[in-house]
Amino acid sequence: MEVYSFANRKGGVSKTSSVWAVGQLLAQAGHRVLLVDADAQASLTRCLPVVDSMKSLAAVMDSKAQLLDVMQQVGDNLWLVAATEELVVAEKVLGADLAYPLFFKKAFKGLNKQIDYILIDTPPAPSSPLTVAALTASTKVFVPTSPEVFSFDGVTSLLELVTKIQDSYNPELEVGGVFLTKYSPTYRRGLHHAFVKKMRERFGSLVMTTTIRENVAIPEAQVQRQSLQQTAPGSNALTDYTALTKEILSRL
């Protein structure tokens, strides 16, 4: 079982959309996929089919349920652990527990018989206990970033956190890659291209080949709580995320 966190210490970089799209593509390919919405904004939960709000990640954090009890099927080969508003308080309580970095590692025990891939949508908050717990349980972290200076800072900060996690809790954690969203080499935006050049110089082979273009098909599908395959099978968004999913698998 592979556990992938998608993380950046800055919001607005298409982190949730990437978990949403890659998870559905892995499921479509026949893999058993569990999506975990660990962000109190619950954006991932709101762009998937409606589920029972009583079965949420907060219930696991409050010791009211096991993770297996709150997994809800949202498609063929696809399950969700939903986020709700209660996650805000639950995360504060979790952060007071000295063993909080091990939360997901314990919660995921035994799932390897039922799940092939777990994808975690992490919160962007700089000191989030859930982000630390997600990275502690992960085999790889993938870092989406938009082509702007503040996102660059978010990547740098996130990679520093990864190093600390590797040293303290999870030496097997690897950076799967950094990938660009809201970007294409064909865009006529000189400042963006300069940023991308700087990023490739700074992070080298960590920067993935695939880039995700801006595309209205993504929010349109999410509003309908459907997949890109259902609503926009010929879209650039589906083409780009298909390529990203293949590149992620190639990095195994």
Side-chain angles (χ1 to χ4, degrees):
M1 183 176 72
E2 294 287 331
V3 181
Y4 295 161
S5 285
F6 284 67
N8 190 319
R9 302 186 92 172
K10 180 188 180 302
V13 294
S14 300
K15 175 174 53 64
T16 296
S17 292
S18 297
V19 173
W20 169 79
V22 172
Q24 289 176 330
L25 284 161
L26 286 172
Q28 186 186 42
H31 303 290
R32 299 168 299 175
V33 181
L34 172 62
L35 304 179
V36 178
D37 192 348
D39 189 343
Q41 297 178 79
S43 297
L44 179 61
T45 300
R46 291 200 299 268
C47 63
L48 289 163
V50 177
V51 294
D52 183 354
S53 62
M54 298 299 291
K55 297 180 178 180
S56 70
L57 181 60
V60 181
M61 296 168 70
D62 292 338
S63 300
K64 295 177 181 177
Q66 299 295 314
L67 197 82
L68 194 62
D69 300 327
V70 301
M71 287 170 49
Q72 301 184 71
Q73 193 158 11
V74 289
D76 292 339
N77 299 318
L78 189 66
W79 289 263
L80 169 70
V81 173
T84 57
E85 293 180 359
E86 286 78 12
L87 200 58
V88 175
V89 175
E91 186 173 20
K92 289 180 180 179
V93 174
L94 177 69
D97 185 343
L98 292 177
Y100 79 83
L102 301 177
F103 168 70
F104 278 123
K105 196 165 188 177
K106 293 177 180 178
F108 293 158
K109 277 187 177 179
L111 287 183
N112 58 312
K113 296 178 181 179
Q114 297 160 278
I115 297 296
D116 301 312
Y117 291 93
I118 297 176
L119 273 58
I120 309 174
D121 184 17
T122 63
S127 303
S128 167
L130 281 172
T131 297
V132 172
L135 293 174
T136 299
S138 293
T139 50
K140 285 185 172 62
V141 56
F142 289 92
V143 188
T145 181
S146 53
E148 55 188 49
V149 65
F150 295 117
S151 293
F152 181 88
D153 293 341
V155 173
T156 302
S157 177
L158 190 281
L159 294 180
E160 290 172 354
L161 175 61
V162 167
T163 299
K164 293 177 181 178
I165 298 294
Q166 290 168 328
D167 291 341
S168 301
Y169 304 116
N170 185 7
E172 297 179 357
L173 174 64
E174 297 179 1
V175 179
V178 178
F179 62 94
L180 285 149
T181 62
K182 305 177 183 179
Y183 174 77
S184 169
T186 62
Y187 288 169
R188 294 181 179 180
R189 300 172 185 174
L191 188 62
H192 284 189
H193 298 321
F195 164 83
V196 173
K197 181 180 178 182
K198 176 183 177 183
M199 196 173 76
R200 293 189 186 280
E201 291 172 352
R202 172 69 176 82
F203 301 122
S205 61
L206 287 181
V207 181
M208 301 174 74
T209 301
T210 305
T211 62
I212 307 298
R213 289 168 282 184
E214 294 178 295
N215 197 296
V216 71
I218 294 173
E220 287 179 346
Q222 292 173 338
V223 166
Q224 297 178 60
R225 293 180 177 261
Q226 294 183 314
S227 67
L228 289 170
Q229 297 93 317
Q230 293 171 305
T231 63
S235 65
N236 288 337
L238 182 56
T239 297
D240 292 348
Y241 272 115
T242 298
L244 179 67
T245 302
K246 289 179 179 178
E247 188 171 359
I248 286 172
L249 292 176
S250 74
R251 292 192 170 218
L252 282 173

